[in-house]
């Protein structure tokens, strides 16, 4: 490594900038033996860099070849723009033209072309998209060569399994036919409590193919949460697996879903046979498929609901957010422009159909004629790393919590990840050290920071492969989207609450169990220069170099391991513990993933460690086994407003992190 340090010094004396020297260094793809060597050399290269004046130093920079070969770079060149900021300004100042070109680039398969792409006659809060169009968005997942690989799937110790586009389409058409033969009609809502597998992708698209709507529920949820989501969505049936294997443990799934609902369940075997007997109203996957007869896709208008997903609100039940036939266009164009997904790229993002990144992965990959890579187990050990290596993954998506565990265990080191074109990180705030480590696993590739929401259908702030890549920082608003930061007085600032500037395809226009206007538009500050702003709830800071870093949520929600959850849902579960009077849950972060902090008022003496154990068991049984109380504080009372609302912001101010109880 000393030779590389000397090389850096020599290059810096030639008049090259630190950025130019670092770019030249990583272009050599040096075979460093340890991940910490990358960081040592990077720090040495930028030791005279002024973060205060220039912002954090970049860990990756694009060269001319990267820019010219990227999807965004080609679009810029065709439009005559010299840089991303000027092109982005065009995308928000000419939104109708932008989305018209999106349809052309994505080759959306219309049964009837739209008469108008964007109609704002009903106001910015109620835009009409693709007026007059008839289509089924699932059809656009099957454009191009039917023999190309649509899905690569694998499990620990098994060979990779390939599913061609033709095979997937055949399965989707038959699942649609089986649904029709089972009596389901267009518009019916059907739950999926499924891990991410090749069969799950076919089921998801088959439901949409039949004109029905998917009700997405994470397979990690406990019975009460499954039940509430099926109830809110008014589902008519459910798909699930009998069991799922994670890290060598075979976990019951059908049993949990059966306890949550009396709805009929279609049960898919994880292995070659069902491990449990079924209730009389339930049917096996084999029986279901026996009733199949391939059908043509049901076509309908752009406002047809295809998917109902859930995002935690600040009180009560989770928000039920409908995705329409326009929402996948947002997924696909973000993947095209920001993750730079090309035809025949292989895209892997450990996720679940219960979270928006599951449907995002399907549409962003398949509409862009790329391949989905699915590891059918937990992505926490070397087996996942070998899958990424063997599948020759080009775009690898992560949540920061996973990367932190990889960095701690060193399980991904020594693998050949040279096929990776870029990483992408979403779901929670990341730490720069973790993202630099992730980049180094592939010889320093960019990490596209990507932040959005279920009610956006994708991201509102992101990175690109056209701009210098800074660890844990966003370089731009997403294509076709604009936002503004406001301080407590409703004035634009560089450190404050983020508000979106509508319209954009992907932005929700209705909620099943909330007043959409009250949730996103009521009492939003009036700001000069903006006709309409939409509340989102994230806190952002703009840096000296114009980039942004996330500062968490300004409301009462948090991200725990990439899962968005409300304080109210956490507290509702914890308040059921004997001897607990009330609780207040907050998310606490030092720039990385949120940690769950609970303030508890008790009716009887509790040892903090015992109460923490009881709370973790309660969360596991009644909410989600992935949630864990990191810190607990037993207090005499909770601070409240005059209207009796818990002042969680005051709790955040008073919280001093100690060692977990």
């Amino acid at each position: 490594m000393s030779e590389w340090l000397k090389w850096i010094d020599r290059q810096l004396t030639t008049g090259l900038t630190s950025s130019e020297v670092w770019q030249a260094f990583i272009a050599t793809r040096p075979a460093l033996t340890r991940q910490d060597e990358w960081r040592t050399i990077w720090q040495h290269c930028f030791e005279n860099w002024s973060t205060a004046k220039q912002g954090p130093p970049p860990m990756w920079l694009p060269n001319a070849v990267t820019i010219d070969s990227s999807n965004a770079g080609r679009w810029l060149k065709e439009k005559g723009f010299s840089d991303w900021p000027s092109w982005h300004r065009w995308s928000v100042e000419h939104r109708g033209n932008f989305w018209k070109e999106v349809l052309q680039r994505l080759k959306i398969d219309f049964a009837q072309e739209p008469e108008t792409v964007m109609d704002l006659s009903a106001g910015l809060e109620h835009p009409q998209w693709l007026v007059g169009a008839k289509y089924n968005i699932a059809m656009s997942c099957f454009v191009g060569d039917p023999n190309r690989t649509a899905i690569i799937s694998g499990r620990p110790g098994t060979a990779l399994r390939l599913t061609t586009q033709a095979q997937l389409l055949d399965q989707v058409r038959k699942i649609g036919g089986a649904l029709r033969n089972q009596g389901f009609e267009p518009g019916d809502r059907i739950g999926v409590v499924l891990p991410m597998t090749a069969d799950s992708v076919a089921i998801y698209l088959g439901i949409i193919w039949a004109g029905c709507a998917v009700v997405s529920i994470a397979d990690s949820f406990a019975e009460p949460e499954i039940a509430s989501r099926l109830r809110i969505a008014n589902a008519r049936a459910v798909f699930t697996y009998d069991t799922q294997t994670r890290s060598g443990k075979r976990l019951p799934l059908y049993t949990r879903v059966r306890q949550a609902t009396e709805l009929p369940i279609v049960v898919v075997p994880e292995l070659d046979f069902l491990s449990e007997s079924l209730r009389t109203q339930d049917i096996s996957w084999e029986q279901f498929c026996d009733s199949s007869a391939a059908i043509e896709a049901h076509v309908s208008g752009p406002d047809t609901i295809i998917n109902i997903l859930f995002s935690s609100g600040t009180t009560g039940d989770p928000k039920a957010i409908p995705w329409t036939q326009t929402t996948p266009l947002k997924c696909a164009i973000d993947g095209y422009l920001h993750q730079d997904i090309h035809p025949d790229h292989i895209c892997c993002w450990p996720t679940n159909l219960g979270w928006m990144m599951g449907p995002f992965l399907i549409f962003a990959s398949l509409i862009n004629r790329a391949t989905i890579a699915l590891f059918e187990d937990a992505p926490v050990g070397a087996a996942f790393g070998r899958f990424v290596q063997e599948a020759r993954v080009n775009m690898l998506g992560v949540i920061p919590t996973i990367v932190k565990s990889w960095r701690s265990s060193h399980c991904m080191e020594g693998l050949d990840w040279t096929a990776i074109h870029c990483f992408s990180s979403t779901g929670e705030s990341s730490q720069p050290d973790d993202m630099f480590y992730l980049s180094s696993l592939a010889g320093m590739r960019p990490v596209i920071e990507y932040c959005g929401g279920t009610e956006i259908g994708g991201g509102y702030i992101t990175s690109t492969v056209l701009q210098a890549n800074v660890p844990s920082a966003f370089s731009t608003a997403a294509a076709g989207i604009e936002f503004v930061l406001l301080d407590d007085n409703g004035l634009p600032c560089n450190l404050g609450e983020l508000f979106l500037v509508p319209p954009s395809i992907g932005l929700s226009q209705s909620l099943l169990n909330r007043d959409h206007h009250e949730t996103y538009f009521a009492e939003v500050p009036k700001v000069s220069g903006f006709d309409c702003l939409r509340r989102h709830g994230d806190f952002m800071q703009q840096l000296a170099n114009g980039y942004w870093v996330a500062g968490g949520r300004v409301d009462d929600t948090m991200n725990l391991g990439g899962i968005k959850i409300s304080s109210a849902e956490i507290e509702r579960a914890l308040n059921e513990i004997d001897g607990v009077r009330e609780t207040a849950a907050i998310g606490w972060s030092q720039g990385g993933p949120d940690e769950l902090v609970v303030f508890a008022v008790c009716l009887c003496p509790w040892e903090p460690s015992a109460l923490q154990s009881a709370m973790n068991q309660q969360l596991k049984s009644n909410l989600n086994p992935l949630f864990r109380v990191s810190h607990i504080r037993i207090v005499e009372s909770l601070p409240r407003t005059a209207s009796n609302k818990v002042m969680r912001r005051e709790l955040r101010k008073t919280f001093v992190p100690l060692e977990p109880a």
Side-chain angles (χ1 to χ4, degrees), residues 334-363:
D334 278 9
Y336 178 87
L337 286 170
H338 299 301
Q339 284 79 23
D340 196 36
I341 297 172
H342 293 248
D344 300 322
H345 265 189
I346 298 168
C347 305
C348 179
W349 207 317
T351 183
N352 188 274
L353 289 174
W355 314 120
M356 65 156 281
M357 293 312 297
F360 175 96
L361 178 65
I362 293 173
F363 293 121

Side-chain angles (χ1 to χ4, degrees), residues 12 20 44 141 245 336 495 534:
L12 290 172
E20 290 169 334
H44 184 76
C141 294
T245 300
Y336 178 87
L495 177 66
R534 173 183 168 124

Side-chain angles (χ1 to χ4, degrees), residues 36 46 86 91 146 164 181 365 376 385 417 438 583 586 616 621 624 638:
D36 60 352
F46 289 98
S86 58
S91 79
T164 67
N181 289 338
S365 300
E376 299 175 357
W417 281 10
L438 175 66
T583 57
I586 63 171
N616 285 332
S621 301
N624 194 314
L638 300 176

Side-chain angles (χ1 to χ4, degrees), residues 191-203:
V192 294
V193 187
L194 297 167
M196 203 74 173
T197 68
D199 284 337
S200 300
V201 173
I203 291 168

Side-chain angles (χ1 to χ4, degrees), residues 2 57 82 85 90 132 164 214 231 268 271 345 353 362 370 404 418 431 440 458 486 537 548 606 613 617 629 631:
S2 61
S82 60
W90 167 81
T164 67
V214 177
R231 170 183 54 80
V268 184
L271 302 177
H345 265 189
L353 289 174
I362 293 173
K404 186 176 291 293
T418 53
Q431 290 183 319
S440 74
L486 302 180
W548 292 266
W606 269 98
S613 296
Q617 182 58 47
V629 178
H631 307 270

Side-chain angles (χ1 to χ4, degrees), residues 130-196:
L130 313 188
V131 178
K134 298 291 183 183
Y135 63 111
N136 185 302
I137 193 59
M139 294 174 62
S140 295
C141 294
F142 299 99
V143 175
D145 182 6
N147 295 315
R148 72 172 178 83
T149 301
I151 300 174
I152 299 173
S153 51
R155 297 183 179 186
T158 65
L160 299 181
R161 302 186 303 279
L162 307 183
T163 304
T164 67
Q165 177 177 293
Q167 290 170 332
L168 179 61
L169 176 58
D170 182 63
Q171 195 174 6
V172 165
R173 295 179 68 218
K174 288 179 178 177
I175 289 170
L179 286 168
R180 192 75 78 244
N181 289 338
Q182 292 288 332
F184 296 101
E185 298 294 332
D188 285 343
R189 297 167 181 180
I190 300 172
V192 294
V193 187
L194 297 167
M196 203 74 173

Side-chain angles (χ1 to χ4, degrees), residues 585-652:
I586 63 171
W588 180 80
S589 171
Q590 283 185 313
D594 282 351
E595 295 182 353
L596 175 56
V597 180
V598 175
F599 292 80
V601 179
C602 299
L603 297 171
C604 60
W606 269 98
E607 287 294 327
S609 59
L611 181 55
Q612 184 178 18
S613 296
M615 288 181 170
N616 285 332
Q617 182 58 47
Q618 183 76 354
L619 293 177
K620 178 179 179 180
S621 301
N622 294 279
L623 199 55
N624 194 314
L626 302 179
F627 298 161
R628 180 182 178 277
V629 178
S630 297
H631 307 270
I632 189 169
R633 299 290 185 268
I634 297 176
V635 295
E636 293 184 1
S637 61
L638 300 176
R640 294 182 179 275
T641 65
S643 60
N644 208 37
K645 292 183 179 179
V646 175
M647 300 167 67
R648 292 186 180 84
R649 292 191 183 188
E650 292 302 313
L651 292 175
R652 289 189 182 95

Side-chain angles (χ1 to χ4, degrees), residues 475-655:
S475 60
T476 179
I481 281 190
E482 189 178 12
F483 61 78
V484 61
L485 305 184
L486 302 180
D487 63 18
D488 291 341
N489 296 315
L491 298 175
C493 62
N494 292 328
L495 177 66
E497 183 175 353
L498 183 142
F499 292 82
L500 300 173
V501 182
S504 171
I505 280 181
L507 292 179
S508 64
Q509 296 192 49
S510 66
L511 298 170
L512 296 189
N513 58 346
R514 298 279 199 285
D515 184 298
H516 193 269
H517 174 80
E518 288 294 323
T519 301
Y520 296 113
F521 293 98
E523 300 179 5
V524 168
K526 300 295 183 182
V527 180
S528 176
F530 299 99
D531 295 328
C532 179
L533 293 179
R534 173 183 168 124
R535 180 184 296 107
H536 184 65
D538 283 349
F539 191 83
M540 285 281 169
Q541 178 182 4
Q542 191 167 26
L543 304 175
N545 60 352
Y547 284 37
W548 292 266
V549 292
R553 299 286 300 177
V554 298
D555 56 19
D556 295 332
T557 65
M558 63 192 83
N559 275 302
L560 300 178
I563 299 172
K564 189 177 174 185
I565 189 74
S566 73
S567 298
E569 289 177 273
I570 296 281
E571 292 158 7
R572 186 167 59 237
L574 298 184
N575 290 344
E576 295 296 318
I577 297 174
D578 289 340
V580 172
R581 178 182 173 186
E582 61 178 347
T583 57
I586 63 171
W588 180 80
S589 171
Q590 283 185 313
D594 282 351
E595 295 182 353
L596 175 56
V597 180
V598 175
F599 292 80
V601 179
C602 299
L603 297 171
C604 60
W606 269 98
E607 287 294 327
S609 59
L611 181 55
Q612 184 178 18
S613 296
M615 288 181 170
N616 285 332
Q617 182 58 47
Q618 183 76 354
L619 293 177
K620 178 179 179 180
S621 301
N622 294 279
L623 199 55
N624 194 314
L626 302 179
F627 298 161
R628 180 182 178 277
V629 178
S630 297
H631 307 270
I632 189 169
R633 299 290 185 268
I634 297 176
V635 295
E636 293 184 1
S637 61
L638 300 176
R640 294 182 179 275
T641 65
S643 60
N644 208 37
K645 292 183 179 179
V646 175
M647 300 167 67
R648 292 186 180 84
R649 292 191 183 188
E650 292 302 313
L651 292 175
R652 289 189 182 95
K653 292 178 183 178
T654 63
F655 174 66

